[in-house]
Amino acid sequence: MIPSKTLANGVSMPYLGLGVYKMTNPDETIQAIAKALEFGYRAVDTAALYYNEEEVGEAIRASGLSREELFITTKVWNADQGYDNTLRAFETSLKKLDLEYVDLYLTHWPVEEKFVDTYRAIERLYEQKLIRVPGVSNHHAHHLEKILSKANILPMVNQIELHPYLSQGELRAFCKENDIAVTAWSPLGRGGILQDETITKIAEEIGKTTAQVILRWHYQQDILSIPKSVTPSRIEENAQIFDFELSTQQISELNQLNRNQRFGKNPDNFKFDF
Ligand code: NDP
């Protein structure tokens, strides 16, 4: 069983979900999601940008699981932001997913001059009960402050790049103060931190893999995560993190690995050219 976090409005969101970015081969995508659901995952993180919302819908329908058991996230892409465009983009995503509602809808990146209106549209979708949770992604505290000064309903999730090399302490504290749950994207640093010496040492100490140590580190700090894998054995391995615990000492060693290193873009320097 993958435990869930209770969000600001009482909705439960699984601590671990399958990320499907760069899954561009339809058969591989459907198989990866099917495996994940078989191994107990109930959350899938997609986006309009990933061009696989149709496959996500197909895989969840084929699973035979009831809609209420699942937690599906998608995002409005940068080129589609602004109030009216976001409402239109949502309709397209919903059609592609072939669902009646989405669990969590996010602004993908804070497009300058547009992200506040984009979020206002997400609020409207929430009021219309077309989404169960309103949220954002890649928002720094200064972006959130702008939204908080305008919003009637605060974002309940912020999905950001987060892993031991980029632990985002200040932003996490800001989100906590405002009851915004944090989801880690690239929770494994795109695979680039799996050979780290300290993480390897801890993995050997407790007889787990480095990926499991990292995902457990996220969980013990109340961070939701969405590791991506198309490899069945890894999809299974990544979900087996709820039957062991890292010690305070091990958590502290992992906390010391922060070097503010990004594998993706910094939202403040993102070139929104489309
Ligand atoms: P991850 O940190 O999840 O790393 C994925 C890479 O690690 C893949 O190459 C995968 O390989 C490999 N991997 C996964 N599990 C293991 C394991 N147990 N052992 C060894 N290697 C492993 O990076 P992503 O960038 O994919 O991020 C995850 C998700 O976050 C995305 O899929 C997407 O949903 C979301 N995301 C959101 C962004 C945003 O702007 N909001 C930006 C980027 C990502 P393989 O698949 O070959 O098994």
Side-chain angles (χ1 to χ4, degrees):
M1 264 294 274
I2 294 176
S4 290
K5 179 173 172 63
T6 304
L7 303 175
N9 62 353
V11 168
S12 296
M13 173 171 177
Y15 269 100
L16 189 88
L18 183 74
V20 300
Y21 182 36
K22 297 205 172 141
M23 289 195 198
T24 46
N25 174 322
D27 290 338
E28 193 177 55
T29 307
I30 290 169
Q31 273 168 35
I33 299 170
K35 277 287 162 206
L37 297 174
E38 201 181 305
F39 295 138
Y41 290 64
R42 291 295 176 265
V44 179
D45 181 86
T46 184
L49 177 78
Y50 305 167
Y51 298 105
N52 56 20
E53 289 170 310
E54 275 125 331
E55 286 82 6
V56 171
E58 203 175 318
I60 61 179
R61 274 189 304 282
S63 74
L65 289 164
S66 69
R67 177 67 186 91
E68 302 75 55
E69 287 180 81
L70 298 161
F71 193 97
I72 309 302
T73 300
T74 192
K75 316 180 188 90
V76 52
W77 182 236
N78 302 338
D80 296 323
Q81 290 196 31
Y83 189 83
D84 291 334
N85 284 347
T86 298
L87 295 178
R88 269 194 291 274
F90 177 78
E91 220 177 291
T92 305
S93 285
L94 203 59
K95 271 198 194 121
K96 286 188 175 169
L97 288 159
D98 197 9
L99 293 175
E100 284 176 5
Y101 64 89
V102 163
D103 295 278
L104 173 61
Y105 197 48
L106 307 174
T107 306
H108 207 142
W109 291 84
V111 175
E112 217 39 60
E113 314 292 333
K114 292 194 177 165
F115 68 91
V116 174
D117 284 340
T118 301
Y119 184 74
R120 280 184 43 243
I122 293 179
E123 258 185 348
R124 174 155 172 79
L125 294 167
Y126 180 62
E127 283 159 1
Q128 293 176 318
K129 299 199 179 345
L130 290 166
I131 63 176
R132 293 175 72 219
V133 183
V136 295
S137 177
N138 296 305
H139 281 43
H140 282 168
H142 67 88
H143 298 115
L144 289 166
E145 268 161 357
K146 271 197 180 161
I147 287 182
L148 301 188
S149 70
K150 295 269 161 62
N152 298 319
I153 303 149
L154 304 187
M156 296 173 195
V157 173
N158 188 13
Q159 185 185 116
I160 55 175
E161 181 178 349
L162 173 48
H163 42 71
Y165 284 10
L166 179 71
S167 55
Q168 300 262 31
E170 280 180 29
L171 182 49
R172 273 164 54 201
F174 182 90
C175 288
K176 194 170 179 197
E177 271 166 37
N178 290 285
D179 211 0
I180 301 170
V182 171
T183 301
W185 63 254
S186 291
L188 303 171
R190 300 222 152 123
I193 59 174
L194 295 171
Q195 315 299 328
D196 177 274
E197 267 182 35
T198 304
I199 304 175
T200 304
K201 180 197 75 103
I202 295 173
E204 283 167 2
E205 276 168 17
I206 57 175
K208 298 288 169 188
T209 66
T210 51
Q212 289 172 322
V213 168
I214 298 165
L215 294 170
R216 181 74 201 186
W217 172 82
H218 285 290
Y219 174 62
Q220 279 186 226
Q221 292 176 106
D222 201 29
I223 300 163
L224 303 128
S225 64
I226 44 171
K228 173 261 174 187
S229 179
V230 291
T231 315
S233 59
R234 291 174 173 173
I235 296 172
E236 184 174 24
E237 171 189 327
N238 293 347
Q240 291 175 340
I241 58 157
F242 301 106
D243 58 353
F244 69 95
E245 210 168 323
L246 297 170
S247 68
T248 314
Q249 166 67 21
Q250 288 163 336
I251 293 278
S252 139
E253 285 176 50
L254 293 164
N255 284 343
Q256 283 163 34
L257 296 178
N258 180 47
R259 47 181 90 160
N260 297 326
Q261 182 182 334
R262 290 177 189 274
F263 291 90
K265 300 269 191 287
N266 182 331
D268 282 334
N269 308 323
F270 194 98
K271 291 263 172 293
F272 295 109
D273 43 357
F274 21 74

